[in-house]
Amino acid sequence: MLLRASVQKVRVTVWNEYIHERENPEVARIYPKGIHEAIAEYLRQQPDIEVRVATLQEPEHGLGDQVLERTDVLIWWGHAAHDKVSDKVVEKVYRRVVEEGMGLIVLHSGHYSKIFRRLMGTSCSLKWREAGERERVWVVAPWHPIARGLGEYFELEHEEMYGEFFDIPQPDELVFISWFEGGEVFRSGCCFYRGRGRIFYFRPGHETYPTYYNENVRKVIANGVRWAAPVCGPRPYYGNVEPLEKLGHKQL
Ligand code: ZN
């Protein structure tokens, strides 16, 4: 059940394919316990958030029914092994989002994950360049809960470039636009509503840079968790219904 009192903590599962950190010494040096642990470390310090982690290598990728039932918001980091994620798990995550309102935060190269492309219905393709460029992330929705506690912009000294055109549907809310040293721009914080669920795509986080230790990036992810958490809304009924009031006209 996702209908929980607001005093309860938001239950987050941080999912990571966990491949680069085990195969590339440069990445292992930055994220010795994996990207998932770097993200979880900050979230665990939040009094309103409860965290677990899951990786591709576990049975059902660590996303069995019991875990999904106890997850309010799922965070997704993948890159090298999108095609290794089982369709069955993708289907379960998809249903959990659209039918039951689980929140989903898709990070960086997760734009090409099966679950994100399924939810978007487009190719989710983009331009990219790996040259350690400066990224300036501009807040374009200062009223948005995901922008809470940030300045007008923040900078990441070294990041991979992602550039437009980013083939996604028009976001329901656009929170960030990134500028890169090489001149490209990118819609780097995009919110979507799909069925009962909320989805937040957040761009930064290439594995060879220490992006997930950046205070602003961490703040955005925690804000994203709170925004994407399910609300105790009514469960819609679909299909044929009897009228609520007596109908005045003659039945044909
Ligand atoms: Zn990358």
PDB file of all heavy atoms in Angstrom, residues 77 79 108-109 130 159-160 162 203 205-208, ligand 1:
ATOM      1  N   TRP A  77      20.148   4.405 -11.726  1.00  0.00           N
ATOM      2  CA  TRP A  77      21.381   4.760 -12.442  1.00  0.00           C
ATOM      3  C   TRP A  77      21.801   3.558 -13.290  1.00  0.00           C
ATOM      4  O   TRP A  77      22.083   2.462 -12.766  1.00  0.00           O
ATOM      5  CB  TRP A  77      22.533   5.139 -11.487  1.00  0.00           C
ATOM      6  CG  TRP A  77      23.630   5.902 -12.185  1.00  0.00           C
ATOM      7  CD1 TRP A  77      23.828   7.248 -12.156  1.00  0.00           C
ATOM      8  CD2 TRP A  77      24.666   5.373 -13.055  1.00  0.00           C
ATOM      9  NE1 TRP A  77      24.898   7.598 -12.956  1.00  0.00           N
ATOM     10  CE2 TRP A  77      25.445   6.465 -13.520  1.00  0.00           C
ATOM     11  CE3 TRP A  77      25.000   4.096 -13.497  1.00  0.00           C
ATOM     12  CZ2 TRP A  77      26.526   6.324 -14.385  1.00  0.00           C
ATOM     13  CZ3 TRP A  77      26.079   3.945 -14.373  1.00  0.00           C
ATOM     14  CH2 TRP A  77      26.827   5.054 -14.802  1.00  0.00           C
ATOM     15  N   HIS A  79      23.896   2.451 -17.317  1.00  0.00           N
ATOM     16  CA  HIS A  79      24.598   2.934 -18.494  1.00  0.00           C
ATOM     17  C   HIS A  79      25.020   1.804 -19.425  1.00  0.00           C
ATOM     18  O   HIS A  79      24.594   1.721 -20.567  1.00  0.00           O
ATOM     19  CB  HIS A  79      25.836   3.749 -18.083  1.00  0.00           C
ATOM     20  CG  HIS A  79      26.639   4.235 -19.234  1.00  0.00           C
ATOM     21  ND1 HIS A  79      28.005   4.070 -19.324  1.00  0.00           N
ATOM     22  CD2 HIS A  79      26.273   4.877 -20.376  1.00  0.00           C
ATOM     23  CE1 HIS A  79      28.436   4.596 -20.455  1.00  0.00           C
ATOM     24  NE2 HIS A  79      27.406   5.095 -21.119  1.00  0.00           N
ATOM     25  N   HIS A 108      21.137  10.765 -15.088  1.00  0.00           N
ATOM     26  CA  HIS A 108      22.170  10.773 -16.124  1.00  0.00           C
ATOM     27  C   HIS A 108      21.881   9.797 -17.279  1.00  0.00           C
ATOM     28  O   HIS A 108      20.874   9.932 -17.970  1.00  0.00           O
ATOM     29  CB  HIS A 108      23.535  10.524 -15.454  1.00  0.00           C
ATOM     30  CG  HIS A 108      24.684  10.731 -16.382  1.00  0.00           C
ATOM     31  ND1 HIS A 108      24.923  11.920 -16.995  1.00  0.00           N
ATOM     32  CD2 HIS A 108      25.662   9.877 -16.817  1.00  0.00           C
ATOM     33  CE1 HIS A 108      25.994  11.801 -17.771  1.00  0.00           C
ATOM     34  NE2 HIS A 108      26.453  10.567 -17.686  1.00  0.00           N
ATOM     35  N   SER A 109      22.784   8.803 -17.475  1.00  0.00           N
ATOM     36  CA  SER A 109      22.666   7.895 -18.627  1.00  0.00           C
ATOM     37  C   SER A 109      21.455   6.970 -18.540  1.00  0.00           C
ATOM     38  O   SER A 109      21.184   6.213 -19.483  1.00  0.00           O
ATOM     39  CB  SER A 109      23.945   7.078 -18.781  1.00  0.00           C
ATOM     40  OG  SER A 109      24.441   6.681 -17.521  1.00  0.00           O
ATOM     41  N   GLU A 130      32.478  13.579 -24.068  1.00  0.00           N
ATOM     42  CA  GLU A 130      33.154  13.367 -22.794  1.00  0.00           C
ATOM     43  C   GLU A 130      34.466  14.132 -22.797  1.00  0.00           C
ATOM     44  O   GLU A 130      35.481  13.644 -23.278  1.00  0.00           O
ATOM     45  CB  GLU A 130      33.391  11.870 -22.591  1.00  0.00           C
ATOM     46  CG  GLU A 130      33.259  11.477 -21.144  1.00  0.00           C
ATOM     47  CD  GLU A 130      33.598  10.025 -20.913  1.00  0.00           C
ATOM     48  OE1 GLU A 130      33.087   9.178 -21.670  1.00  0.00           O
ATOM     49  OE2 GLU A 130      34.383   9.754 -19.991  1.00  0.00           O
ATOM     50  N   GLU A 159      32.168  17.725 -16.109  1.00  0.00           N
ATOM     51  CA  GLU A 159      31.074  16.788 -16.385  1.00  0.00           C
ATOM     52  C   GLU A 159      31.097  16.390 -17.862  1.00  0.00           C
ATOM     53  O   GLU A 159      31.739  17.043 -18.689  1.00  0.00           O
ATOM     54  CB  GLU A 159      29.702  17.403 -16.028  1.00  0.00           C
ATOM     55  CG  GLU A 159      29.046  16.801 -14.779  1.00  0.00           C
ATOM     56  CD  GLU A 159      28.694  15.320 -14.880  1.00  0.00           C
ATOM     57  OE1 GLU A 159      28.741  14.736 -15.982  1.00  0.00           O
ATOM     58  OE2 GLU A 159      28.376  14.726 -13.840  1.00  0.00           O
ATOM     59  N   GLU A 160      30.416  15.300 -18.146  1.00  0.00           N
ATOM     60  CA  GLU A 160      30.156  14.932 -19.537  1.00  0.00           C
ATOM     61  C   GLU A 160      29.113  15.904 -20.071  1.00  0.00           C
ATOM     62  O   GLU A 160      28.236  16.333 -19.326  1.00  0.00           O
ATOM     63  CB  GLU A 160      29.612  13.501 -19.564  1.00  0.00           C
ATOM     64  CG  GLU A 160      29.261  12.993 -20.944  1.00  0.00           C
ATOM     65  CD  GLU A 160      28.703  11.577 -20.902  1.00  0.00           C
ATOM     66  OE1 GLU A 160      28.295  11.122 -19.812  1.00  0.00           O
ATOM     67  OE2 GLU A 160      28.666  10.934 -21.951  1.00  0.00           O
ATOM     68  N   TYR A 162      25.841  16.737 -22.228  1.00  0.00           N
ATOM     69  CA  TYR A 162      24.649  16.249 -22.915  1.00  0.00           C
ATOM     70  C   TYR A 162      24.041  17.478 -23.604  1.00  0.00           C
ATOM     71  O   TYR A 162      23.890  18.523 -22.951  1.00  0.00           O
ATOM     72  CB  TYR A 162      23.616  15.692 -21.935  1.00  0.00           C
ATOM     73  CG  TYR A 162      23.814  14.258 -21.479  1.00  0.00           C
ATOM     74  CD1 TYR A 162      24.960  13.529 -21.796  1.00  0.00           C
ATOM     75  CD2 TYR A 162      22.825  13.624 -20.727  1.00  0.00           C
ATOM     76  CE1 TYR A 162      25.110  12.215 -21.368  1.00  0.00           C
ATOM     77  CE2 TYR A 162      22.965  12.307 -20.294  1.00  0.00           C
ATOM     78  CZ  TYR A 162      24.105  11.604 -20.609  1.00  0.00           C
ATOM     79  OH  TYR A 162      24.241  10.320 -20.178  1.00  0.00           O
ATOM     80  N   ARG A 203      19.945  15.175 -15.004  1.00  0.00           N
ATOM     81  CA  ARG A 203      21.039  14.875 -15.909  1.00  0.00           C
ATOM     82  C   ARG A 203      22.419  14.556 -15.320  1.00  0.00           C
ATOM     83  O   ARG A 203      23.074  13.597 -15.746  1.00  0.00           O
ATOM     84  CB  ARG A 203      21.194  16.054 -16.895  1.00  0.00           C
ATOM     85  CG  ARG A 203      22.053  15.746 -18.091  1.00  0.00           C
ATOM     86  CD  ARG A 203      22.926  16.922 -18.489  1.00  0.00           C
ATOM     87  NE  ARG A 203      24.052  17.032 -17.612  1.00  0.00           N
ATOM     88  CZ  ARG A 203      25.206  16.369 -17.757  1.00  0.00           C
ATOM     89  NH1 ARG A 203      25.352  15.538 -18.748  1.00  0.00           N
ATOM     90  NH2 ARG A 203      26.192  16.516 -16.891  1.00  0.00           N
ATOM     91  N   GLY A 205      25.915  13.363 -13.464  1.00  0.00           N
ATOM     92  CA  GLY A 205      26.266  12.100 -12.814  1.00  0.00           C
ATOM     93  C   GLY A 205      27.064  11.134 -13.662  1.00  0.00           C
ATOM     94  O   GLY A 205      26.897   9.919 -13.538  1.00  0.00           O
ATOM     95  N   HIS A 206      27.975  11.656 -14.517  1.00  0.00           N
ATOM     96  CA  HIS A 206      28.836  10.745 -15.271  1.00  0.00           C
ATOM     97  C   HIS A 206      29.800  10.056 -14.295  1.00  0.00           C
ATOM     98  O   HIS A 206      30.335  10.695 -13.395  1.00  0.00           O
ATOM     99  CB  HIS A 206      29.607  11.500 -16.366  1.00  0.00           C
ATOM    100  CG  HIS A 206      30.385  10.578 -17.246  1.00  0.00           C
ATOM    101  ND1 HIS A 206      29.762   9.679 -18.075  1.00  0.00           N
ATOM    102  CD2 HIS A 206      31.717  10.386 -17.391  1.00  0.00           C
ATOM    103  CE1 HIS A 206      30.691   8.981 -18.726  1.00  0.00           C
ATOM    104  NE2 HIS A 206      31.886   9.389 -18.326  1.00  0.00           N
ATOM    105  N   GLU A 207      30.026   8.765 -14.545  1.00  0.00           N
ATOM    106  CA  GLU A 207      30.720   7.928 -13.545  1.00  0.00           C
ATOM    107  C   GLU A 207      32.176   8.298 -13.266  1.00  0.00           C
ATOM    108  O   GLU A 207      32.716   7.932 -12.227  1.00  0.00           O
ATOM    109  CB  GLU A 207      30.624   6.448 -13.955  1.00  0.00           C
ATOM    110  CG  GLU A 207      31.371   6.048 -15.234  1.00  0.00           C
ATOM    111  CD  GLU A 207      30.562   6.270 -16.503  1.00  0.00           C
ATOM    112  OE1 GLU A 207      29.459   6.848 -16.412  1.00  0.00           O
ATOM    113  OE2 GLU A 207      31.033   5.870 -17.589  1.00  0.00           O
ATOM    114  N   THR A 208      32.830   9.042 -14.180  1.00  0.00           N
ATOM    115  CA  THR A 208      34.250   9.354 -13.948  1.00  0.00           C
ATOM    116  C   THR A 208      34.453  10.691 -13.226  1.00  0.00           C
ATOM    117  O   THR A 208      35.580  11.152 -13.082  1.00  0.00           O
ATOM    118  CB  THR A 208      35.051   9.373 -15.278  1.00  0.00           C
ATOM    119  OG1 THR A 208      34.432  10.304 -16.161  1.00  0.00           O
ATOM    120  CG2 THR A 208      35.089   8.002 -15.930  1.00  0.00           C
TER     121      THR A 208
HETATM  122 ZN    ZN B   1      27.924   9.468 -18.772  1.00  0.00          ZN
END
